[in-house]
Amino acid sequence: MRVFPENFLWAGAMSANQSEGAWDEDGKGVTIADLCQRGFLKGPDQEIVPGAFYPIHIGIDFYRTYKEDLKLLKELGLKALRTSINWARIYPNGDEEQPNEKGLEFYDHLIREIVANGMEPIITVSHFETPVHLAKKYNGFASREMIGHYLRYCRTIFQRYRGLVKYWLPFNEINNLQSMPLCAGALWDIESQPRDKKVQTMFQASHHVFVANAMAVKLLREIDPEAKAGCMLTYKLSYPKTSDPEDVWTAFQIMRRHWFYSDVMINGAYPRNMLRIMEDEGVVLAKEPGDDELIRQYTCDFVSFSYYTSFVFDKTMPVIGQTGGLFGEHNPRLPKNAWGWDKDPLGLRYSINQMYDRYHKPILIAENGFSDYESLDKNGQVEDDDRIEFLREHLLAVREAIRDGCDVFGYCYWTPIDVCSEGSMQLDKRYGFIYVDHDKYGNGTKKRIRKKSFAYYQKVIETNGRSI
Ligand code: BG6
C-alpha cells in the first residue's frame, strides 16, 4: 500500500555525546554527559574520577570512524541522519567570546560528509551536552544569563552551517527539564532544594528555555530563512490505571505537564492550565519586557518527539515537583523488552494523532527504537528478530497515523548503529542495525557488523515503506 509520501525522511538518530568519544580532544570542554559514569538518572559524579572508566568517553569512536560509519548508513539507504553538535566542542566552557575552531572543523567535515553520502542532516543543538562550567557557574537555565551563552553558540553554528542544515532541533526532549533537570536544563543545584524552591526553579528555568528557544528561532529565520526549527519532546504517553475518573484526570494532567513545553513553543503562549498550576504552587516568574511577545512571534515550524513506550498513572501520583527520569507504572497488558520497557506500538499511533490534533503542524518522529543485550553468535552474526518485529509494528503504527490524516514527514530510528546508552551510560543496551564490537569495559575490535535488521530497514527504505 502506498502511504508514505515520496520525500519521506527515512532516518536514523543519534547524539554526539553517545557516539563520538574523544571527550577531551581538540579543545573540547567537559559536558554534563561526560561526568556520567553510570546512569545519569541518579545524577552524575560531581567530577571526573581519576582512574575510573567512562564508556561514554570513548563512545563508538565516531569522532574518528565517522567516514566509514556514514558509508554504512548510506548503504542502509538513510535519507536523513539526526545527530547533535556537542556544545562543549564549540564553546568548551560555554561562556567564551570566541568559538573553538578545531571543534567547528570537526563538524564541518562531519556535516559535509553526511550530505555527501546523500543524507539530510537533522541537527540537535543541545542534547544533554551543556558545558559543566555553565551548570556550575550559572546553575544552567535557572539563570537568565544562560540565554546569551546559548544564543552565541546557536549563532555560531547557524551561520557556519547555513544552507547545509535544513532541520534544527534547538533542545532535545525539553520536557525532561522537569523530570531530569540536570540533563535537560543544566540545573546543577536543584535536587537538594525543598519542594517549593525546586518547583519555582524548574518553572523559571523553563521560562528561560522558552525565551532562548524563541530567540534561536528568530536567529535562524534571519540567518537561514529556508531552515526549519522543531520543538522536541520525549513523549511519555500516559494512560489512566483504571477508569476511575480521578485516575483519568491525573493521566491527563501528566500529559499537560509534557504538552506545556510544546504548547509554548508551538502555540506561542503559556497554556492557561499551567498558569493555574503555577498560581496554585505559588510560582512567581521573573520575566523581562518583550519575553511574551518573543515567545508569541517566534514559534517552531514543526513538532517532533521521541517515543519508546507508554506509562500508567493513578490518582496518587504527583503531577508536579517530581524528578528522577522515567516515572509512572508499567502496563500489565503490554509485553516488555529486556530492559523492562513496555512495547506499545498503538501508543505511537495514538501519540502522533494527539500531537497532530493539538497543533496541526508537520511531525517528525525524532526517536523510536528497540534496545537489547546483544553479542555476536557463533557465526559472528546478530539475529535481532525482536528488533525487526518492534520496527515493523511501530512503522505500521506510523503508517496508520498517516492514514488517519496526520502529516508525518520523517521517522528517525534510534539508533542506526550501536552507541552508548544515555540512561545507563554504557554499551550493554544496544539499539543499532549495526553492531559495534566494543563493550562497556573498552574491550573489542570496534569492528562494525550488520545485524539482521539492517537488511529489513534497508528494504523498507528502498520500497518507501511498501514492504513493511
Ligand atoms: C532519549 C534520548 O531519551 O532516549 C537518547 O534522547 C537516549 O539520548 C534514548 O539514548 C534512549 O534511552 P537509553 O537510556 O535507552 O539510551
Side-chain angles (χ1 to χ4, degrees), residues 41 175-176 178-180 234 236-238 250 253-255 257-258 309-313 317-330:
L41 301 182
N175 52 325
N176 268 334
Q178 294 204 24
S179 53
M180 289 157 45
T234 172
K236 293 183 173 163
L237 180 63
S238 308
T250 302
Q253 288 290 80
I254 297 275
M255 283 315 296
R257 165 180 156 161
H258 298 301
T309 183
S310 53
F311 301 88
V312 169
F313 290 87
M317 293 173 178
V319 173
I320 292 291
Q322 194 196 39
T323 53
L326 302 180
F327 60 103
E329 283 180 17
H330 289 289

Side-chain angles (χ1 to χ4, degrees), residues 18 127 172-173 308 341 367 414 421-423 429 431:
Q18 292 167 266
H127 193 127
N172 182 59
E173 298 187 334
Y308 291 90
W341 291 19
E367 290 177 29
W414 182 274
S421 149
E422 193 83 68
K429 192 178 189 187
Y431 283 88

